[in-house]
Amino acid sequence: MLESGNIMTVQLPLKPTCRPCSLLGLLALIIASECHYTPEPDQRRTLPPGWVSLGRVDPEEELSLTFALRQQNLERLSELVQAVSDPGSPRYGKYLTIEDVAELVRPSPLTLHTVQKWLWAAGARNCNSVTTQDFLTCWLSVRQAELLLPGAEFHRYVGGPAKIHVVRSLRPYQLPQALAPHVDFVGGLHRFPPTSSLRQRPKPQVAGTVGLHFGVTPSVLRERYNLTARDVGSGTTNNSQACAQFLEQYFHDSDLAEFMRLFGGNFAHQASVARVVGKQGRGRAGIEASLDVQYLMSAGANISTWVYSSPGRHEAQEPFLQWLLLLSNESSLPHVHTVSYGDDEDSLSSAYIQRVNTELMKAATRGLTLLFASGDSGAGCWSVSGRHQFRPSFPASSPYVTTVGGTSFQNPFLVTNEVVDYISGGGFSNVFPRPSYQEEAVVQFLNSSPHLPPSSYFNASGRAYPDVAALSDGYWVVSNSVPIPWVSGTSASTPVFGGVLSLINEHRILSGHPPLGFLNPRLYQQHGAGLFDVTHGCHESCLNEEVEGQGFCSGPGWDPVTGWGTPNFPALLKILLNP
């Protein structure tokens, strides 16, 4: 292993490192064997709407593929998440370092040896690993990749609002059976970039203007969530926060400066991002990327902010997977990360979804607070064998993230109580069972809600989400030098809640306490203390006669539309400050 900066480069052997007969025997077993298996048999391989094929890719074109190597000690990893995140545990707040995590989950020597020999034989080159050694990203030609992964057939596709180009294989790939104990999945083949669901809604109509506001701005949020001008970062700690941007989405420094000039005059703030990790493109600013940065930095005001930019500049890269690799390769990371990204659970293979969940567990043991948007399709809807069901989203449904739903003001022009924003994503996972930390809250909801949908529409025993919420309707954003009103989506509520938690981390650090880390076990033990309970409204779902477009409805306590509610900063700070 050679270390180059923060990247560990694996030098695949240029010549056999064992006796020729042994190596030939290994390669014969791995390559020539007719016994193969399909790592992702349940991966959806239909072309997403709005994408078209431009034909087969040149066989000599270069591809970047990421191999997820089988990890060790995952049960112990799960135990450690609980131990460092539960206030009742003696290990609470005693987070692991990246070196600790690597020592725990690093693939076995046999796995490392077998996979490296296999890739060497295929002609893979420029193979980079990460600190935990459980991902390996290599370059191959299309011809080599299709020989390495029987069944794969690479085409170039174009689609999405930005008409981006990607190289993918809709056909299932296979691996030699000898690799089954060693490789979870291969990234860069199947998954297409999801499109942003952020929307600009029509301005509500109103008569008269006295005492009204005309859209959500930092001052409106600070009024609603009881943040004063003093509730900002001190600038004296190593506290930091981050957001991640994907899918050719970029922010512009000039937009951030203009946003703060227009809307940041009544609180101390930073007018520039402290660090960009990855490549920041030169294209037009994206509304979603602009929104993430501007509201994370105005809610978590005067706190050092990083932006993870994983646009997938190469057509074969998966931006979300690239972000996970960055987390596995940095020893010092921001304490709070907000991510406005999601896919339908059913569109992802079980191998992929379980492995990503493990990556989120790794982050939790390191004391990172990961907040994901709950999505903008309410309960969702799809048809299974001719019957409608709700459609959960991932990573929102992961048990190891804090998921943020959305609300609206009861009166859209007044800083009033909040009600459900009908687009707020929420529901029950079809993949992950209900974690113990939310058992009491979810059972209470299921037993007391007067408006439950038919039981055939959702998996009542699954991980339920969201966990919390914030305003998601009617935001002002500056993008490409233009102030844009009435932008809506849980992509707005997520950085707002993240900024609030960063302010609480500031107080904890100044008091000598560790950062909050994975919040959910503590959040559910508090039964909603420090949050405004949202008790009115339902979100959208299937437009059929049985449910008539209505999913779940909010009520007292936790619910799968707004979680425990929205932040009341002074009360939440009091609850979360100690220990």
Side-chain angles (χ1 to χ4, degrees):
M1 295 286 175
L2 300 178
E3 293 208 19
S4 175
N6 290 325
I7 302 294
M8 297 181 66
T9 302
V10 176
Q11 301 292 342
L12 293 183
L14 300 179
K15 60 178 69 175
T17 56
C18 54
R19 289 181 302 166
C21 59
S22 300
L23 177 61
L24 290 174
L26 173 66
L27 297 183
L29 172 66
I30 291 178
I31 297 173
S33 171
E34 296 181 1
C35 186
H36 288 74
Y37 79 105
T38 304
E40 302 182 78
D42 50 345
Q43 172 71 40
R44 187 181 70 189
R45 299 184 190 89
T46 55
L47 193 62
W51 289 85
V52 296
S53 172
L54 300 180
R56 292 285 299 269
V57 182
D58 186 322
E60 301 311 315
E61 186 167 324
E62 296 286 296
L63 287 178
S64 170
L65 297 179
T66 298
F67 300 85
L69 277 60
R70 187 69 48 85
Q71 299 152 314
Q72 300 188 96
N73 303 313
L74 297 187
E75 287 188 12
R76 178 58 180 156
L77 184 70
S78 177
E79 293 169 358
L80 286 169
V81 173
Q82 181 67 21
V84 301
S85 307
D86 183 352
S89 165
R91 287 208 58 167
Y92 178 66
K94 297 177 181 177
Y95 304 125
L96 277 64
T97 65
I98 184 66
E99 292 77 17
D100 294 332
V101 175
E103 187 66 27
L104 186 68
V105 305
R106 181 183 294 118
S108 69
L110 178 60
T111 290
L112 294 170
H113 179 80
T114 302
V115 174
Q116 290 180 23
K117 295 295 185 190
W118 173 60
L119 292 172
W120 168 79
R125 55 203 166 276
N126 299 328
C127 291
N128 293 328
S129 186
V130 293
T131 303
T132 48
Q133 296 181 247
D134 46 7
F135 284 107
L136 198 55
T137 300
C138 297
W139 287 89
L140 304 96
S141 70
V142 168
R143 186 192 311 276
Q144 290 169 329
E146 291 182 348
L147 288 172
L148 183 74
L149 307 169
E153 185 177 284
F154 290 94
H155 289 242
R156 178 169 283 103
Y157 299 91
V158 60
K163 299 302 178 187
I164 61 174
H165 289 230
V166 300
V167 172
R168 295 290 187 270
S169 170
L170 290 183
R171 295 179 57 184
Y173 66 96
Q174 293 186 322
L175 295 180
Q177 190 65 42
L179 271 294
H182 306 297
V183 177
D184 287 333
F185 70 89
V186 182
L189 282 91
H190 294 325
R191 284 161 284 280
F192 283 75
T195 56
S196 171
S197 56
L198 200 66
R199 61 189 78 178
Q200 188 177 10
R201 294 180 184 170
K203 175 182 175 182
Q205 300 300 309
V206 64
T209 61
V210 178
L212 303 182
H213 70 80
F214 292 94
V216 175
T217 64
S219 61
V220 169
L221 291 167
R222 295 179 83 84
E223 179 181 350
R224 169 57 185 158
Y225 297 141
N226 293 321
L227 290 155
T228 70
R230 297 185 301 275
D231 293 320
V232 296
S234 66
T236 62
T237 70
N238 64 350
N239 192 18
S240 57
Q241 57 190 1
C243 59
Q245 59 187 36
F246 309 117
L247 316 180
E248 296 291 340
Q249 283 274 332
Y250 311 108
F251 76 96
H252 286 176
D253 288 319
S254 58
D255 289 339
L256 176 60
E258 177 65 7
F259 177 85
M260 290 302 185
R261 186 188 70 80
L262 291 172
F263 303 119
N266 60 353
F267 56 92
H269 60 265
Q270 298 184 8
S272 62
V273 167
R275 181 179 174 189
V276 175
V277 182
K279 292 183 178 180
Q280 169 75 350
R282 297 180 180 178
R284 288 173 57 81
I287 293 180
E288 184 152 340
S290 303
L291 174 80
D292 287 344
V293 173
Q294 290 164 18
Y295 281 92
L296 180 61
M297 293 184 68
S298 55
N302 210 37
I303 291 173
S304 177
T305 302
W306 298 17
V307 173
Y308 282 83
S309 184
S310 305
R313 294 296 300 176
H314 188 272
E315 294 173 328
Q317 290 177 342
E318 295 179 31
F320 181 65
L321 191 57
Q322 298 303 308
W323 176 72
L324 289 174
L325 266 63
L326 287 171
L327 292 190
S328 282
N329 213 41
E330 291 270 351
S331 58
S332 180
L333 292 167
H335 302 309
V336 173
H337 296 250
T338 73
V339 186
S340 302
Y341 170 91
D343 259 320
D344 298 324
E345 272 189 350
D346 60 89
S347 74
L348 302 169
S349 73
S350 57
Y352 178 86
I353 208 169
Q354 293 292 348
R355 177 55 184 268
V356 171
N357 197 52
T358 299
E359 299 307 304
L360 302 174
M361 289 170 59
K362 286 161 59 178
T365 63
R366 298 175 63 190
L368 304 184
T369 303
L370 303 184
L371 295 103
F372 277 81
S374 68
D376 298 336
S377 302
C381 185
W382 69 314
S383 180
V384 183
S385 302
R387 288 194 55 83
H388 286 97
Q389 292 181 7
F390 295 160
R391 195 172 203 177
S393 176
F394 179 80
S397 64
S398 167
Y400 298 104
V401 304
T402 298
T403 305
V404 185
T407 62
S408 303
F409 280 125
Q410 193 164 12
N411 181 324
F413 296 99
L414 295 174
V415 181
T416 59
N417 291 336
E418 294 161 73
V419 296
V420 168
D421 186 348
Y422 69 93
I423 57 93
S424 179
F428 295 77
S429 173
N430 290 321
V431 175
F432 302 106
R434 183 190 306 150
S436 59
Y437 61 72
Q438 66 172 187
E439 180 74 21
E440 179 184 351
V442 176
V443 169
Q444 172 65 23
F445 169 80
L446 293 172
N447 289 340
S448 63
S449 175
H451 304 291
L452 276 182
S455 60
S456 61
Y457 277 71
F458 65 101
N459 172 28
S461 63
R463 153 48 165 157
Y465 69 97
D467 305 296
V468 293
L471 283 161
S472 57
D473 183 22
Y475 279 67
W476 280 91
V477 181
V478 175
S479 187
N480 299 298
S481 304
V482 178
I484 301 172
W486 303 108
V487 175
S488 302
T490 53
S491 295
S493 56
T494 305
V496 168
F497 208 101
V500 168
L501 294 182
S502 290
L503 293 178
I504 295 173
N505 271 340
E506 183 83 4
H507 286 269
R508 288 179 60 87
I509 292 168
L510 289 171
S511 299
H513 301 311
L516 287 165
F518 175 45
L519 186 61
N520 289 12
R522 184 166 186 169
L523 180 71
Y524 281 82
Q525 288 179 23
Q526 293 169 187
H527 297 93
L531 299 164
F532 292 117
D533 196 5
V534 180
T535 59
H536 292 91
C538 309
H539 63 184
E540 62 187 359
S541 73
C542 302
L543 289 170
N544 61 5
E545 292 183 1
E546 196 167 18
V547 296
E548 297 180 335
Q550 180 174 294
F552 297 100
C553 297
S554 64
W558 179 89
D559 57 70
V561 190
T562 61
W564 286 107
T566 63
N568 177 4
F569 179 72
L572 192 59
L573 174 62
K574 184 177 180 180
I575 291 291
L576 293 178
L577 180 57
N578 294 304

